[in-house]
Amino acid sequence: MKILVTVKEVATVEDEFEIEGTEIADQYLGADLNEWDDYAVEEAVQLQEAGVADEVVTVTIGPEDCEQTIRQALAKGADRAVRVWDDSLEGVDLLDVNAKTEILSAVVEEEDPDLILTGVQAGDDSFGATGVSLAEEVGYQWGAVVNHLEHEFDGDVASVRRELEGGVEELTDIELPAALTIQTGINEPRYASLRGIRQAQRKELDVKNLADLDVDESAVDSDLELTDMYEPESESDVTVWEGSADDTAAELGELLRDKGVAP
Amino acid sequence: MEFGLSEEQQQIREEVQRFAENEIVPVAEEYDTEEKYPHDVIDKAAEMGLTGSYIPIDYGGAGYSILDTAIITEELFSYDPGIALSIVSTSFGCEAIMNFGTEDQKERFLEPVAMGEKISGAAISEPDTGSDVSSVSTRAEKDGDEWVINGNKMWITNGTVGDFFVVLCKTNPDAQGRYNGFSQIVVESDRDGFSAEKITGKLGIRASDTAELVFDDVRVPEENLVGTKDAAFMQQMQFFDETRTAVAAQGVGIAKGATRAALEYAQDREQFGQSISEFQAIQHKLAEMATDTEAARNLTYKAAWNVDQGNDITKLASMAKEYASRIAVDVADEAVQIHGGAGYVNDFPVERLYRDAKITQIYEGTSEIQKNVIAREMLGKGF
């Protein structure tokens, strides 16, 4: 079985930050492998270790800067990586789900995997749609928000547990080829071992542009426009008393009684 | 001249940071307070390959260079020196086996350490033998095809948790010259006559295990002798550049951790209606701490790089060790000062770093010994 894992370098934000226009100011941003993708990579590597998967390939859409992040997945056990980037992507502010779907589906056509694992969502733009949209485009079955995957496959069928709302879970059998969007907590992602980091430097990281994949440049045009970004007003209610504990303890006690916290 | 780290080295640094933040920081205070060895953390570190990172790939290690290892050491020590030392010391003594051991010894001893299945130690100091290493009195005598060992070793890292120790013994009391007649012999801790008593009440690095070892007619097969009989001093001296550079990296790590903690606290703490980081007195402290740390780091990396090139750097390694350990103590001191009263209790990591820093000026040759070495080299007085 061949597994394709879609991975993304996401922007991470410090606790305190400022917004400039429709973006968080650069100095407050860091970068890391998308948390959900980390779980997807771990799941794929575990399937390989269990002898179910023969090859694990990662694919990402991103500039050269993100290679160090993408190599994390190679260090954890993925066999090789594909990175898609193109001059036409340089100036794009918002790469929407349609564009990602079109680019990734071209990679799926080339790689022809039996199983696609994606994160449920990306930690930065949080569309939460790419995995399912990709499955639909390439004609794969799909299962979203998977929090358990049986490692013993019954022929071409993946048995998954999916997380529904309200604490309800569902067991589903999904015929391969399929795409599963992986939820955090499905496994415990490993640290990249020192040997793994060393080996990752020598693993194949193939770079492709849109022409290589026969994807038209118009695919990156988006119908979506980011119009505003702001911090929502906090709705928490805080009462602060000035003064010594002796003076204010009684007031606190009264408030707690009022709120029904203390009897 | 090239000052940058490779992509791989940056990746190592980031992954070690991730490990330390998740696995060390939450438990650091507990292990320090209770003075207990962090077996659970060691197991996780072994999975990641942090134990014996410099052991060659052929023997299960990662085959990392001295500079790579210095980066790992710096990062781990910046979060908690006690647990960090427990991790990096799991292969103490193995450098002798790696460089002078037989193929059989390498397979028997290096592999299980690299895999995290065994813990090693180096047993050099004795109750009456500190800086004057030539006064070692632990005796190994040949009896048939066995060595019979008698004596005491003091301040031995991993003493009660180690599976084997590379023990410096006197094998030829008649040898001429004060540095001759010593050998390194591997002693497994399950041999009859071996016992270890944990030393408690240390000022710092309290998670790390330290013990006194007693050898009472301990018998080991003759093939446990590492390298050449009676030549242990010449063998051991070859590692001074490596081990002193490693302690320098520990000092850089402690200074880095103390600066990070102080910077964070200074920005959070408000007095007189503003963050104390707005006061120039605090700013200047932070600036000096960061500058000193960077200078110590450059000295340490330069030493590590030179060791990796195969250069003999007696003076430079001693400079790095002496300076970085001094900076560790100074910077940790300033970090406590910036914390004020909060830095005097163990609610914040600086209290621990302040106590932990001191050992770097003492072990692997005191600061005074390092200065002797530097001056001796400058004056061309030789060994």
Side-chain angles (χ1 to χ4, degrees), chain A residues 32-33 67-73 75-76 188 190-195 197-202, chain B residues 7-8 10-12 14-15 18-19 22-23 47-50 53 57 60-64 68 72:
Chain A
D32 204 351
L33 181 64
E67 283 194 3
Q68 201 180 324
T69 302
I70 301 314
R71 280 202 198 276
Q72 269 186 43
K76 290 179 182 196
E188 197 181 326
R190 70 194 66 192
Y191 296 103
S193 74
L194 297 188
R195 282 171 79 122
I197 291 171
R198 170 137 292 183
Q199 285 159 354
Q201 304 303 314
R202 291 188 287 268
Chain B
E7 202 175 285
E8 180 180 348
Q10 289 172 41
Q11 210 159 359
I12 294 169
E14 281 171 21
E15 200 66 6
R18 215 187 305 270
F19 176 87
N22 293 335
E23 311 295 342
E47 275 175 41
M48 193 179 154
L50 291 173
S53 58
I57 289 177
Y64 274 170
D68 298 334
I72 294 168

Side-chain angles (χ1 to χ4, degrees), chain A residues 230-241:
Chain A
Y230 60 93
E231 277 189 271
E233 289 285 324
S234 167
E235 288 180 13
S236 65
D237 190 8
V238 179
T239 308
V240 178
W241 289 283

